[in-house]
Amino acid sequence: MEIKELVQRQRAYYQKGNTRSLIKRKQALQRLQACIKRNETAIHEALYEDLHKATMESYMSETGMVLAELRMQLRHFEQWAKPKKVRTPLAQFPAKSFQSAEPYGVVLIMAPWNYPFQLYGTIDWGIGCW
């Protein structure tokens, strides 16, 4: 798939509002975590074939770090997703103000080659996470 087509598809998906639901966002993190665990051996084999990384190095510098980050995200998900009260400007009195964490849209990820899984993630690894 060409990059232009991929970006168009991602923007269309975002515009539908599919990424706004907290439940769907948490489920996406859980699916990613499960997918990485399910395919960890294949990921380590690919890293060995491409970069000659030993299994322990692959775990310590690639999959293990991503799984640890996912665990932290899932552990703090509800807390980080809660709306936060903020000061209301005097001109808007008697309103109440808050900040709400939401996805911004589509992003471009550019990463170096030496830690492809950790920095680039499961995009285009062909492991069928989604």
Side-chain angles (χ1 to χ4, degrees), residues 32-40 43 66-67 70 117 122:
L32 178 59
Q33 183 181 46
C35 182
I36 293 169
K37 288 179 182 179
R38 188 173 55 248
N39 293 283
E40 197 165 7
I43 294 165
V66 173
L67 289 169
L70 283 165
F117 190 83
T122 59

Side-chain angles (χ1 to χ4, degrees), residues 25-26 28-30 32-33 65-81:
R25 286 161 44 194
K26 187 171 185 177
L29 292 172
Q30 292 167 333
L32 178 59
Q33 183 181 46
M65 292 183 79
V66 173
L67 289 169
E69 184 69 23
L70 283 165
R71 279 191 300 274
M72 184 184 71
Q73 293 287 328
L74 288 166
R75 184 173 41 247
H76 297 288
F77 187 84
E78 282 81 13
Q79 175 75 24
W80 291 345

